[in-house]
Amino acid sequence: MKSRADLFSFLDAHGVAHSTLDHPPVFRVEEGLEIKAALPGGHTKNLFLKDAKGQLWLISALGETAIDLKRLHTVIGSGRLSFGNAELMLETLGVTPGSVTALGLINDVAHRVRFVLDAALAQADPVNFHPLANDATTAVSQDGFRRFLAALGITPMIVDFAAMTVVQ
């Protein structure tokens, strides 16, 4: 699994400017409001899910976005969704509960995880994610985030969670 230093080297190698703020661990979106207030841009919540067919999913959305997990499977074309367990999370994304992040996709070399991006988060600039652990927040531009995903060979499914529809 890649470390924080490996992640930053990857970002640097792909011309993705980034800045990181170290802080006490944050486990839920509601925590660390003072940290978020000091950082511009979109702050994220990230859900690691598994569907009834065994497919793994990572949802990255703005922290305030409401996500209807009971209906989402009909929108994204999955089986019914539930939260993925800590073992699968560590095995595929290299993170532990409370540290789920789209930047963890760097560890999914087998492309087992399908990535869903909130349409509102896709408009935020910069975007803020944990750099593989919840004791720091890393900001990258929206363009830089897209370059990161492209370098990994990932095209996100973009979902408007308010309308419950795939927009891209």
Side-chain angles (χ1 to χ4, degrees), residues 68-88:
D68 184 349
L69 290 178
K70 287 183 170 52
R71 288 184 43 218
L72 183 58
H73 71 282
T74 62
V75 175
I76 64 174
S78 71
R80 295 197 62 89
L81 296 160
S82 60
F83 287 96
N85 66 42
E87 182 180 305
L88 265 177

Side-chain angles (χ1 to χ4, degrees), residues 81-161:
L81 296 160
S82 60
F83 287 96
N85 66 42
E87 182 180 305
L88 265 177
M89 185 184 301
L90 187 60
E91 180 183 314
T92 56
L93 298 177
V95 298
T96 57
S99 296
V100 179
T101 173
L103 299 178
L105 291 166
I106 193 170
N107 287 313
D108 183 27
V109 294
H111 293 280
R112 292 174 58 195
V113 180
R114 297 213 37 213
F115 183 52
V116 176
L117 180 62
D118 175 14
L121 182 60
Q123 300 301 312
D125 197 23
V127 290
N128 297 284
F129 293 100
H130 291 310
L132 308 179
N134 64 356
D135 60 355
T137 299
T138 296
V140 297
S141 69
Q142 186 64 233
D143 180 62
F145 181 55
R146 297 304 180 98
R147 263 187 276 134
F148 166 78
L149 293 173
L152 296 174
I154 296 170
T155 302
M157 177 187 301
I158 301 178
V159 172
D160 178 336
F161 287 102

